[in-house]
Protein backbone atom coordinates (compact mmCIF):
# COMPACT_ATOMS: atom_id res chain seq x y z
CA UNK A 1 0.00 0.00 0.00
CA UNK A 2 1.31 3.45 -0.95
CA UNK A 3 0.46 6.42 1.24
CA UNK A 4 0.45 9.84 -0.35
CA UNK A 5 1.66 12.84 1.63
CA UNK A 6 -1.70 14.64 1.63
CA UNK A 7 -3.60 11.66 3.08
CA UNK A 8 -1.00 11.09 5.77
CA UNK A 9 -1.03 14.79 6.64
CA UNK A 10 -4.81 14.72 7.13
CA UNK A 11 -4.68 11.56 9.26
CA UNK A 12 -1.77 12.99 11.25
CA UNK A 13 -3.66 16.22 11.96
CA UNK A 14 -6.80 14.31 13.00
CA UNK A 15 -4.88 12.10 15.42
CA UNK A 16 -3.07 15.10 16.92
CA UNK A 17 -6.26 17.07 17.46
CA UNK A 18 -8.30 14.13 18.80
CA UNK A 19 -5.61 12.92 21.21
CA UNK A 20 -4.66 16.46 22.16
CA UNK A 21 -8.22 17.62 22.75
CA UNK A 22 -9.00 14.53 24.85
CA UNK A 23 -5.95 14.93 27.06
CA UNK A 24 -6.29 18.70 27.46
CA UNK A 25 -10.01 18.57 28.28
CA UNK A 26 -9.32 15.95 30.95
CA UNK A 27 -6.63 18.20 32.37
CA UNK A 28 -9.05 21.09 32.76
CA UNK A 29 -11.84 18.90 34.14
CA UNK A 30 -9.82 17.42 36.96
CA UNK A 31 -7.50 18.71 39.65
CA UNK A 32 -4.28 17.74 37.93
CA UNK A 33 -0.68 17.85 39.07
CA UNK A 34 2.23 19.69 37.45
CA UNK A 35 3.26 16.76 35.25
CA UNK A 36 -0.23 16.54 33.72
CA UNK A 37 -0.25 20.25 32.93
CA UNK A 38 3.15 20.09 31.23
CA UNK A 39 2.09 17.04 29.22
CA UNK A 40 -0.91 19.09 28.11
CA UNK A 41 1.55 21.72 26.87
CA UNK A 42 3.10 18.97 24.75
CA UNK A 43 -0.25 18.27 23.10
CA UNK A 44 -0.99 21.96 22.57
CA UNK A 45 2.43 22.39 20.97
CA UNK A 46 1.70 19.42 18.70
CA UNK A 47 -1.62 20.92 17.61
CA UNK A 48 0.12 24.24 16.96
CA UNK A 49 2.75 22.39 14.90
CA UNK A 50 0.15 20.72 12.71
CA UNK A 51 -1.63 24.02 12.10
CA UNK A 52 1.64 25.79 11.27
CA UNK A 53 2.69 23.19 8.71
CA UNK A 54 -0.71 23.41 7.03
CA UNK A 55 -0.34 27.20 6.78
CA UNK A 56 3.16 26.90 5.31
CA UNK A 57 1.85 24.44 2.69
CA UNK A 58 -1.12 26.58 1.65
CA UNK A 59 0.74 29.88 1.36
CA UNK A 60 4.17 30.42 -0.15
CA UNK A 61 4.35 33.80 1.59
CA UNK A 62 3.96 32.18 5.01
CA UNK A 63 7.52 30.86 5.04
CA UNK A 64 7.78 31.79 8.70
CA UNK A 65 5.14 29.15 9.52
CA UNK A 66 7.75 26.44 8.91
CA UNK A 67 9.88 27.92 11.67
CA UNK A 68 6.84 28.04 13.95
CA UNK A 69 6.01 24.41 13.19
CA UNK A 70 9.57 23.23 13.79
CA UNK A 71 9.71 25.07 17.12
CA UNK A 72 6.37 23.59 18.15
CA UNK A 73 7.52 20.08 17.20
CA UNK A 74 10.63 20.33 19.39
CA UNK A 75 8.66 21.90 22.25
CA UNK A 76 6.10 19.08 22.07
CA UNK A 77 8.77 16.40 22.50
CA UNK A 78 10.64 18.43 25.13
CA UNK A 79 7.46 18.86 27.17
CA UNK A 80 7.02 15.07 27.25
CA UNK A 81 10.46 14.87 28.85
CA UNK A 82 9.80 17.77 31.23
CA UNK A 83 6.48 16.32 32.38
CA UNK A 84 8.11 12.93 32.95
CA UNK A 85 10.73 14.56 35.17
CA UNK A 86 7.99 16.22 37.20
CA UNK A 87 6.13 12.92 37.52
CA UNK A 88 9.31 11.38 38.95
CA UNK A 89 9.60 14.14 41.53
CA UNK A 90 12.34 16.13 39.79
CA UNK A 91 12.42 19.71 38.61
CA UNK A 92 10.74 20.10 35.22
CA UNK A 93 13.54 22.11 33.54
CA UNK A 94 10.93 23.54 31.21
CA UNK A 95 13.31 26.41 30.46
CA UNK A 96 15.57 23.90 28.68
CA UNK A 97 12.62 22.91 26.48
CA UNK A 98 11.92 26.57 25.68
CA UNK A 99 15.56 27.22 24.77
CA UNK A 100 15.60 24.19 22.48
CA UNK A 101 12.40 25.34 20.81
CA UNK A 102 13.70 28.87 20.35
CA UNK A 103 16.96 27.62 18.82
CA UNK A 104 14.95 25.54 16.35
CA UNK A 105 12.89 28.57 15.31
CA UNK A 106 16.01 30.71 14.84
CA UNK A 107 17.63 28.03 12.66
CA UNK A 108 14.60 27.96 10.34
CA UNK A 109 14.12 31.74 10.24
CA UNK A 110 17.78 32.30 9.40
CA UNK A 111 17.20 30.49 6.09
CA UNK A 112 14.80 33.28 5.07
CA UNK A 113 11.96 33.11 2.52
CA UNK A 114 14.01 30.82 0.28
CA UNK A 115 14.51 28.18 2.95
CA UNK A 116 11.58 26.09 1.77
CA UNK A 117 9.75 23.39 3.74
CA UNK A 118 13.02 21.89 5.05
CA UNK A 119 14.37 25.14 6.49
CA UNK A 120 16.21 24.43 9.73
CA UNK A 121 15.48 20.70 9.39
CA UNK A 122 18.86 19.45 10.73
CA UNK A 123 18.51 21.45 13.95
CA UNK A 124 14.90 20.28 14.28
CA UNK A 125 15.88 16.64 13.86
CA UNK A 126 18.63 16.95 16.47
CA UNK A 127 16.28 18.63 18.94
CA UNK A 128 13.59 15.97 18.55
CA UNK A 129 16.12 13.14 18.79
CA UNK A 130 17.69 14.57 21.96
CA UNK A 131 14.43 15.28 23.79
CA UNK A 132 12.73 11.99 22.88
CA UNK A 133 15.89 10.18 23.99
CA UNK A 134 15.86 12.05 27.30
CA UNK A 135 12.15 11.30 27.72
CA UNK A 136 12.75 7.59 27.06
CA UNK A 137 15.50 7.55 29.69
CA UNK A 138 13.24 9.33 32.19
CA UNK A 139 10.55 6.66 31.81
CA UNK A 140 13.08 4.17 33.16
CA UNK A 141 13.50 6.06 36.42
CA UNK A 142 11.47 6.73 39.56
CA UNK A 143 7.73 6.27 39.59
CA UNK A 144 7.49 5.81 35.82
CA UNK A 145 9.82 2.82 35.93
CA UNK A 146 7.56 1.12 38.46
CA UNK A 147 4.47 1.37 36.24
CA UNK A 148 4.15 -1.30 33.50
CA UNK A 149 1.99 1.03 31.38
CA UNK A 150 5.08 3.04 30.44
CA UNK A 151 6.85 0.17 28.67
CA UNK A 152 5.30 0.83 25.27
CA UNK A 153 5.90 4.56 25.75
CA UNK A 154 9.58 3.89 26.42
CA UNK A 155 9.90 1.77 23.28
CA UNK A 156 8.24 4.25 20.94
CA UNK A 157 10.22 7.18 22.37
CA UNK A 158 13.45 5.24 21.86
CA UNK A 159 12.49 4.44 18.28
CA UNK A 160 11.64 8.08 17.64
CA UNK A 161 14.99 9.20 19.02
CA UNK A 162 16.90 6.75 16.84
CA UNK A 163 14.76 7.59 13.79
CA UNK A 164 15.40 11.33 13.99
CA UNK A 165 19.09 10.79 14.68
CA UNK A 166 19.27 8.70 11.49
CA UNK A 167 17.17 11.30 9.71
CA UNK A 168 19.68 13.99 10.71
CA UNK A 169 22.63 11.98 9.39
CA UNK A 170 20.83 11.16 6.15
CA UNK A 171 19.85 14.75 5.37
CA UNK A 172 23.44 15.86 5.90
CA UNK A 173 24.84 13.13 3.67
CA UNK A 174 22.45 13.14 0.72
CA UNK A 175 20.02 16.04 1.25
CA UNK A 176 16.25 16.03 1.08
CA UNK A 177 16.14 14.77 -2.52
CA UNK A 178 18.18 11.62 -1.89
CA UNK A 179 16.62 8.21 -2.44
CA UNK A 180 17.29 6.98 1.09
CA UNK A 181 15.89 10.10 2.72
CA UNK A 182 12.80 10.14 0.51
CA UNK A 183 12.08 6.45 1.01
CA UNK A 184 12.84 5.85 4.68
CA UNK A 185 13.06 9.24 6.35
CA UNK A 186 10.62 11.46 4.47
CA UNK A 187 7.38 13.05 5.59
CA UNK A 188 5.30 9.87 5.29
CA UNK A 189 7.59 7.78 7.52
CA UNK A 190 7.92 10.48 10.17
CA UNK A 191 4.16 11.08 10.20
CA UNK A 192 3.39 7.38 10.72
CA UNK A 193 5.88 7.29 13.59
CA UNK A 194 4.32 10.41 15.11
CA UNK A 195 0.84 8.85 14.94
CA UNK A 196 2.09 5.77 16.79
CA UNK A 197 3.82 7.96 19.38
CA UNK A 198 0.71 10.06 19.98
CA UNK A 199 -1.62 7.11 20.45
CA UNK A 200 0.71 5.22 22.79
CA UNK A 201 1.60 8.40 24.70
CA UNK A 202 -2.05 9.29 25.22
CA UNK A 203 -2.85 5.86 26.64
CA UNK A 204 0.27 5.66 28.85
CA UNK A 205 0.09 9.22 30.20
CA UNK A 206 -3.63 8.98 30.88
CA UNK A 207 -3.09 5.80 32.91
CA UNK A 208 -0.22 7.36 34.86
CA UNK A 209 -2.23 10.46 35.61
CA UNK A 210 -5.33 8.51 36.61
CA UNK A 211 -3.39 6.22 38.94
CA UNK A 212 -1.71 9.14 40.67
CA UNK A 213 -5.05 10.91 41.14
CA UNK A 214 -6.83 7.74 42.24
CA UNK A 215 -5.89 7.84 45.93
CA UNK A 216 -7.75 11.10 46.46
CA UNK A 217 -10.91 9.86 44.76
CA UNK A 218 -10.83 6.56 46.69
CA UNK A 219 -9.93 8.14 49.99
CA UNK A 220 -13.00 6.95 51.85
CA UNK A 221 -13.41 3.65 50.04
CA UNK A 222 -9.99 2.06 49.68
CA UNK A 223 -8.33 -0.45 51.99
CA UNK A 224 -5.10 0.50 53.78
CA UNK A 225 -2.41 -1.91 52.57
CA UNK A 226 1.27 -2.57 53.21
CA UNK A 227 4.12 -3.76 51.01
CA UNK A 228 6.06 -6.93 51.78
CA UNK A 229 8.59 -4.70 53.58
CA UNK A 230 5.94 -3.45 56.02
CA UNK A 231 5.64 0.08 54.71
CA UNK A 232 2.43 1.56 53.41
CA UNK A 233 1.63 1.44 49.71
CA UNK A 234 1.80 4.93 48.28
CA UNK A 235 -1.99 5.18 47.95
CA UNK A 236 -2.48 3.99 51.52
CA UNK A 237 0.12 6.46 52.83
CA UNK A 238 -1.69 9.35 51.14
CA UNK A 239 -5.05 8.23 52.49
CA UNK A 240 -3.82 7.82 56.09
CA UNK A 241 -1.84 11.07 55.98
CA UNK A 242 -4.73 13.12 54.62
CA UNK A 243 -6.92 12.02 57.52
CA UNK A 244 -4.15 12.64 60.04
CA UNK A 245 -3.21 16.06 58.68
CA UNK A 246 -6.85 17.13 58.51
CA UNK A 247 -7.27 16.44 62.21
CA UNK A 248 -3.91 18.04 63.06
CA UNK A 249 -5.01 21.18 61.24
CA UNK A 250 -8.10 21.40 63.44
CA UNK A 251 -5.96 21.12 66.60
CA UNK A 252 -3.20 23.36 65.21
CA UNK A 253 -0.60 20.63 65.70
CA UNK A 254 2.56 20.82 63.62
CA UNK A 255 3.53 17.86 61.42
CA UNK A 256 6.15 17.20 58.78
CA UNK A 257 6.60 15.02 55.73
CA UNK A 258 10.07 13.70 55.01
CA UNK A 259 11.09 12.26 51.65
CA UNK A 260 13.96 9.83 52.14
CA UNK A 261 15.87 9.02 48.94
CA UNK A 262 18.45 6.21 48.88
CA UNK A 263 21.60 7.65 47.27
CA UNK A 264 23.21 6.10 44.17
CA UNK A 265 20.66 3.32 43.66
CA UNK A 266 20.97 3.44 39.86
CA UNK A 267 24.77 3.41 40.10
CA UNK A 268 24.68 0.36 42.40
CA UNK A 269 22.39 -1.43 39.94
CA UNK A 270 24.77 -0.70 37.09
CA UNK A 271 27.88 -1.71 39.01
CA UNK A 272 26.68 -4.76 40.97
CA UNK A 273 23.40 -5.84 39.39
CA UNK A 274 19.72 -5.73 40.25
CA UNK A 275 19.93 -8.40 42.93
CA UNK A 276 22.50 -6.45 44.90
CA UNK A 277 20.68 -3.12 44.60
CA UNK A 278 17.45 -4.81 45.72
CA UNK A 279 19.23 -6.13 48.78
CA UNK A 280 20.53 -2.64 49.59
CA UNK A 281 17.04 -1.19 49.11
CA UNK A 282 15.57 -3.77 51.49
CA UNK A 283 18.18 -2.96 54.12
CA UNK A 284 17.48 0.74 53.57
CA UNK A 285 13.79 0.21 54.36
CA UNK A 286 14.63 -1.79 57.49
CA UNK A 287 16.91 0.99 58.74
CA UNK A 288 14.39 3.75 58.05
CA UNK A 289 11.66 1.82 59.89
CA UNK A 290 14.02 1.18 62.80
CA UNK A 291 15.47 4.67 63.18
CA UNK A 292 12.48 6.70 62.06
CA UNK A 293 10.21 8.14 64.75
CA UNK A 294 7.89 5.67 66.46
CA UNK A 295 4.80 7.86 66.07
CA UNK A 296 4.94 8.12 62.29
CA UNK A 297 3.59 6.59 59.11
CA UNK A 298 6.03 5.35 56.47
CA UNK A 299 5.06 4.77 52.85
CA UNK A 300 6.73 3.90 49.57
CA UNK A 301 7.35 6.48 46.84
CA UNK A 302 9.04 4.61 44.04
CA UNK A 303 12.27 2.62 43.93
CA UNK A 304 14.60 3.54 46.77
CA UNK A 305 12.33 6.30 48.09
CA UNK A 306 10.18 6.50 51.22
CA UNK A 307 7.78 9.06 52.67
CA UNK A 308 7.45 9.67 56.40
CA UNK A 309 4.62 11.61 58.04
CA UNK A 310 5.53 12.54 61.59
CA UNK A 311 4.94 15.12 64.33
CA UNK A 312 7.55 17.92 64.29
CA UNK A 313 7.06 21.01 66.43
CA UNK A 314 9.64 22.94 64.42
CA UNK A 315 12.41 22.66 61.83
CA UNK A 316 15.01 21.62 64.40
CA UNK A 317 12.88 18.66 65.47
CA UNK A 318 12.43 17.55 61.85
CA UNK A 319 16.17 17.89 61.18
CA UNK A 320 16.93 15.76 64.22
CA UNK A 321 14.63 13.03 62.86
CA UNK A 322 16.47 13.15 59.53
CA UNK A 323 19.86 12.96 61.26
CA UNK A 324 18.79 9.91 63.25
CA UNK A 325 17.81 8.11 60.05
CA UNK A 326 21.06 9.03 58.26
CA UNK A 327 23.18 7.99 61.26
CA UNK A 328 21.28 4.70 61.46
CA UNK A 329 22.03 3.93 57.82
CA UNK A 330 25.74 4.54 58.34
CA UNK A 331 25.74 2.27 61.40
CA UNK A 332 24.36 -0.67 59.41
CA UNK A 333 26.39 -1.49 56.28
CA UNK A 334 25.22 -4.01 53.70
CA UNK A 335 25.72 -7.50 55.15
CA UNK A 336 27.33 -8.99 52.03
CA UNK A 337 29.49 -5.91 51.42
CA UNK A 338 30.45 -4.40 54.81
CA UNK A 339 32.53 -1.66 53.24
CA UNK A 340 29.47 -0.26 51.49
CA UNK A 341 27.50 2.04 53.77
CA UNK A 342 24.42 3.38 51.96
CA UNK A 343 23.40 6.96 52.56
CA UNK A 344 20.16 8.86 52.09
CA UNK A 345 19.20 12.34 50.93
CA UNK A 346 16.25 13.71 52.86
CA UNK A 347 13.83 16.49 52.02
CA UNK A 348 11.67 18.03 54.74
CA UNK A 349 8.37 19.89 54.35
CA UNK A 350 6.69 21.45 57.40
CA UNK A 351 3.03 22.25 57.95
CA UNK A 352 4.15 25.33 59.86
CA UNK A 353 5.20 26.90 56.56
CA UNK A 354 3.33 25.04 53.81
CA UNK A 355 -0.04 24.25 55.38
CA UNK A 356 -1.73 20.87 55.70
CA UNK A 357 -2.26 19.83 52.07
CA UNK A 358 -0.57 16.42 51.83
CA UNK A 359 -0.04 16.75 48.07
CA UNK A 360 1.75 20.09 48.45
CA UNK A 361 3.88 18.81 51.31
CA UNK A 362 4.78 15.59 49.51
CA UNK A 363 5.85 17.39 46.33
CA UNK A 364 7.87 19.92 48.34
CA UNK A 365 9.64 17.20 50.34
CA UNK A 366 10.32 15.19 47.17
CA UNK A 367 11.84 18.21 45.41
CA UNK A 368 13.95 19.02 48.49
CA UNK A 369 15.36 15.48 48.68
CA UNK A 370 16.29 15.72 45.00
CA UNK A 371 18.20 18.93 45.71
CA UNK A 372 19.96 17.16 48.56
CA UNK A 373 20.87 14.28 46.26
CA UNK A 374 22.13 16.60 43.52
CA UNK A 375 24.29 18.39 46.09
CA UNK A 376 26.27 15.25 46.79
CA UNK A 377 23.94 13.08 48.86
CA UNK A 378 23.74 12.27 52.57
CA UNK A 379 22.27 15.72 53.15
CA UNK A 380 19.01 17.09 54.48
CA UNK A 381 17.27 20.00 52.76
CA UNK A 382 14.31 21.94 54.12
CA UNK A 383 11.73 22.80 51.50
CA UNK A 384 12.56 26.01 49.64
CA UNK A 385 9.10 27.32 50.60
CA UNK A 386 10.01 27.23 54.29
CA UNK A 387 10.99 30.42 56.02
CA UNK A 388 14.14 28.71 57.28
CA UNK A 389 14.94 26.71 54.15
CA UNK A 390 18.46 25.49 53.76
CA UNK A 391 20.85 22.54 53.42
CA UNK A 392 22.19 20.55 56.38
Amino acid sequence: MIFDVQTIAVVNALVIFVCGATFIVNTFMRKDDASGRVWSVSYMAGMFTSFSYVVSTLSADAWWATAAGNAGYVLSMAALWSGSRLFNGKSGLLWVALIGSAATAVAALSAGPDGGPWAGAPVTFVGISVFTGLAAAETLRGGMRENPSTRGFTVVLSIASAFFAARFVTILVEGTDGALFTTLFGTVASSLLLIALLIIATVALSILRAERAAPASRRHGSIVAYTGDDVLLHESFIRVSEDWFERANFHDEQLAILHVRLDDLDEMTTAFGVGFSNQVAEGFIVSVRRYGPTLSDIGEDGAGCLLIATPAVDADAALQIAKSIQDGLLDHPVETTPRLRPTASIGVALTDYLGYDVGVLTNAARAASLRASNSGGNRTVLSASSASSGEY
Side-chain angles (χ1 to χ4, degrees), residues 284-302:
F284 159 75
I285 294 174
V286 170
S287 292
V288 172
R289 291 184 67 250
R290 179 178 298 162
Y291 294 101
T294 304
L295 299 178
S296 65
D297 287 313
I298 303 175
E300 64 174 2
D301 194 49

Side-chain angles (χ1 to χ4, degrees), residues 9-332:
V10 172
V11 174
N12 193 20
L14 285 174
V15 172
I16 290 175
F17 279 93
V18 170
C19 292
T22 301
F23 196 90
I24 293 168
V25 168
N26 284 337
T27 299
F28 281 107
M29 290 180 64
R30 64 198 301 171
K31 184 180 179 182
D32 217 342
D33 57 12
S35 59
R37 290 191 291 271
V38 173
W39 284 330
S40 292
V41 170
S42 174
Y43 281 97
M44 287 187 282
M47 295 164 73
F48 174 77
T49 297
S50 180
F51 176 76
S52 298
Y53 284 155
V54 169
V55 171
S56 66
T57 302
L58 295 178
S59 175
D61 295 330
W63 57 274
W64 48 266
T66 298
N70 291 353
Y73 206 154
V74 171
L75 178 60
S76 181
M77 300 300 107
L80 287 179
W81 163 68
S82 180
S84 298
R85 284 180 58 86
L86 288 169
F87 187 91
N88 284 337
K90 304 176 182 179
S91 58
L93 298 181
L94 191 57
W95 61 271
V96 175
L98 296 175
I99 290 176
S101 179
T104 305
V106 170
L109 290 173
S110 63
D114 298 326
W118 297 105
V123 176
T124 304
F125 296 164
V126 168
I128 295 172
S129 178
V130 168
F131 283 118
T132 51
L134 290 172
E138 196 59 45
T139 63
L140 298 175
R141 301 188 179 103
M144 297 192 77
R145 180 178 63 180
E146 301 300 316
N147 197 310
S149 65
T150 62
R151 300 295 180 267
F153 191 36
T154 303
V155 170
V156 75
L157 283 170
S158 301
I159 293 174
S161 181
F163 175 85
F164 277 93
R167 207 178 188 200
F168 167 73
V169 173
T170 305
I171 198 174
L172 290 184
V173 172
E174 67 174 24
T176 59
D177 296 326
L180 182 61
F181 183 86
T182 303
T183 304
L184 297 180
F185 301 106
T187 301
V188 172
S190 65
S191 296
L192 291 174
L193 178 61
L194 179 59
I195 290 172
L197 174 59
L198 283 167
I199 294 173
I200 294 175
T202 301
V203 174
L205 299 182
S206 296
I207 292 174
L208 287 171
R209 186 171 63 177
E211 290 184 353
R212 172 158 288 187
S217 64
R218 298 197 305 263
R219 178 178 172 188
H220 299 290
S222 61
I223 298 174
V224 173
Y226 288 82
T227 70
D229 296 307
D230 293 324
V231 296
L232 290 164
L233 293 173
H234 183 79
E235 294 83 355
S236 297
F237 175 85
I238 297 299
R239 179 190 175 192
V240 171
S241 298
E242 284 179 340
D243 177 65
W244 187 9
F245 279 57
E246 181 182 322
R247 289 181 287 114
N249 187 21
F250 177 80
H251 293 285
D252 196 26
E253 296 175 356
Q254 302 308 315
L255 305 176
I257 284 185
L258 283 68
H259 188 270
V260 188
R261 185 186 300 268
L262 177 60
D263 292 326
D264 303 321
L265 180 61
D266 290 338
E267 288 77 2
M268 283 187 280
T269 301
T270 301
F272 303 107
V274 176
F276 178 82
S277 63
N278 286 342
Q279 182 182 5
V280 175
E282 290 172 2
F284 159 75
I285 294 174
V286 170
S287 292
V288 172
R289 291 184 67 250
R290 179 178 298 162
Y291 294 101
T294 304
L295 299 178
S296 65
D297 287 313
I298 303 175
E300 64 174 2
D301 194 49
C305 293
L306 294 172
L307 287 164
I308 301 176
T310 182
V313 294
D314 54 27
D316 290 338
L319 291 172
Q320 185 57 48
I321 292 171
K323 185 176 185 303
S324 297
I325 293 172
Q326 290 169 329
D327 290 345
L329 282 170
L330 292 175
D331 289 341
H332 286 79

